[in-house]
Amino acid sequence: MTTKHEQILFYIESLEVGSKISVRQIAKAMDVSEGTAYRAIKDAEARGIVSTIERVGTVRIEKQEKKNIERLTFAEVVNIVEGTVLGGREGLHKTLSKFVIGAMKIDAMLKYVDRDSLLIVGNRESVHKASLEHGAAVLITGGFDTSDEVKDLADRLALPLISSAYDTFTIATLINRAIDDRLIKKEILLVEDLVNRDKKDPVTLQVGEKVADWHRLMELTGHTRFPVVDKDGRVHGIVTSKDVAGVASEQSLERVMTKSPRTVTGRTSVASAAHTMVWEGIELLPVVEHRKLVSVISRQDVLRALQYNQNQPQGQTIQDLILSGFEEAREDRSVKLSGVVTPIMTNQLGSINPGVLMALINEAGELAIRRLKNSDMVVENVTVYFLKPIQIDSQVTIKADVIDIGRKFGKVDVEIYSGSDLMGKALFTAQVLER
């Protein structure tokens, strides 16, 4: 039986791309309270099937596939540049292929203007019109307006005509930053990415079945771990070979299964799922949506995904900026990171920011363990002792020595030097994910 929340989401997904929705409209159409409608619309926005645009409203958009995550819709551009839509609202759901800065003569400029691109230009009315006629949307900088003729043309062609108070450089920077942020998100692999690659329905046992049914399913599939669900698909437990060992075939599964098992959703990061599996000693995690089972992931699925994701395009994170100025040197069981404390790495007192220092400690610790065990890992604990503040422009060396390593863990002693002076120490511990 589906809940009201699920029914609203199904209704929103059934709407045509480009449709406007509101809390009041959804509440009336689905006969629910406005609070229920509001929560469902927010969930739909998190799933990427609607977008809320200031001064326009909430619009049904086409969900971006992960492979095209670096491409923005015009609706998202409006939000990024804090813009006003002057015309062409029907095309806000469309995806732009590229953006062009209109700083040339009109004939030269139009050579670069393709269908579904976005032209960023000032108050040049003739350029606005020519761009729309070439199938490209227009973003007018400086907060300028344009003629009613151009607005009518944008409405007829369903091509967004947007005005923003920002200048051209700022707008280009904001859009590039948004694309870079999406590449970073692309790097963060989610459980739904694993589930979407494997479209198979999960193999399950039902509440009320017996141990004999586990044996039958094990012989049929070759697997030894199964979720136990009720008739509505809700997860009640997990049964493994360890649970049924030496148990009579007529014994009920509810008597031997692990009840209320740990679960994840599609929006859980793979790294978080990996940490749960390592920390809890779990080999199989049910994936649920609205408490109903949609799939399962194994430890092997998680490790393969983490290895695959290392080769994907990446955006630049704060950690990348910190590490870009540091050089790595390796010895037998140790790693050294050396670099200079730049202004961006400091706090208001001119000494290195503790968060920056933690990033350097983590990087050195992971590199040292990876030097001996080429595996992925999750940080378990970092104990830091700050002895002295490290000042701006100081030459810093982070020295990480592996002091203990096993099949599933690694411990690293980390020392922080400024020149030849010892400035701090840390003990870094990580759980190693076996390949």
Side-chain angles (χ1 to χ4, degrees), residues 21-84:
I21 62 172
S22 68
V23 170
R24 186 170 295 177
Q25 170 205 335
I26 294 292
K28 185 175 180 182
M30 300 300 296
D31 192 25
V32 296
S33 69
E34 291 192 358
T36 302
Y38 174 80
R39 286 190 293 273
I41 289 174
K42 283 299 176 186
D43 191 7
E45 190 168 13
R47 296 179 186 215
I49 59 176
V50 301
S51 180
T52 302
I53 310 164
E54 192 176 351
R55 295 184 289 274
V56 173
T58 304
V59 181
R60 170 77 167 92
I61 62 172
E62 189 172 359
K63 187 173 181 179
Q64 298 274 329
E65 291 298 324
K66 198 92 171 188
K67 62 183 179 182
N68 291 324
I69 195 169
E70 65 273 15
R71 297 180 67 176
L72 302 168
T73 64
F74 291 110
E76 290 168 320
V77 170
V78 174
N79 284 335
I80 290 165
V81 302
E82 300 176 16
T84 301

Side-chain angles (χ1 to χ4, degrees), residues 311-358:
N311 300 320
Q312 299 306 298
Q314 301 176 1
Q316 191 175 47
T317 64
I318 290 174
Q319 183 160 335
D320 295 328
L321 290 172
I322 293 168
L323 296 172
S324 62
F326 278 74
E327 295 182 354
E328 177 189 345
R330 295 184 178 184
E331 297 176 6
D332 183 26
R333 291 174 67 90
S334 67
V335 166
K336 287 183 180 179
L337 293 177
S338 299
V340 175
V341 178
T342 60
I344 199 173
M345 297 166 61
T346 60
N347 59 21
Q348 71 275 16
L349 300 176
S351 56
I352 193 167
N353 187 290
V356 171
L357 194 55
M358 282 296 297

Side-chain angles (χ1 to χ4, degrees), residues 98 100 104-114 134:
K98 67 177 183 180
V100 180
M104 300 168 272
K105 290 183 178 180
I106 188 167
D107 292 337
M109 189 188 312
L110 293 178
K111 293 178 183 177
Y112 300 94
V113 175
D114 302 321
H134 275 70

Side-chain angles (χ1 to χ4, degrees), residues 218-245:
M218 187 269 291
E219 291 177 5
L220 185 66
T221 64
H223 299 307
T224 60
R225 300 174 179 85
F226 305 102
V228 180
V229 300
D230 61 22
K231 57 183 175 56
D232 293 323
R234 290 183 170 86
V235 179
H236 285 252
I238 292 278
V239 176
T240 70
S241 56
K242 184 179 178 181
D243 298 323
V244 302

Side-chain angles (χ1 to χ4, degrees), residues 116-136:
D116 295 328
S117 59
L118 175 69
L119 179 67
I120 302 172
V121 68
N123 58 337
R124 298 170 64 185
E125 197 174 302
S126 59
V127 175
H128 305 163
K129 185 177 179 182
S131 176
L132 292 169
E133 289 171 344
H134 275 70

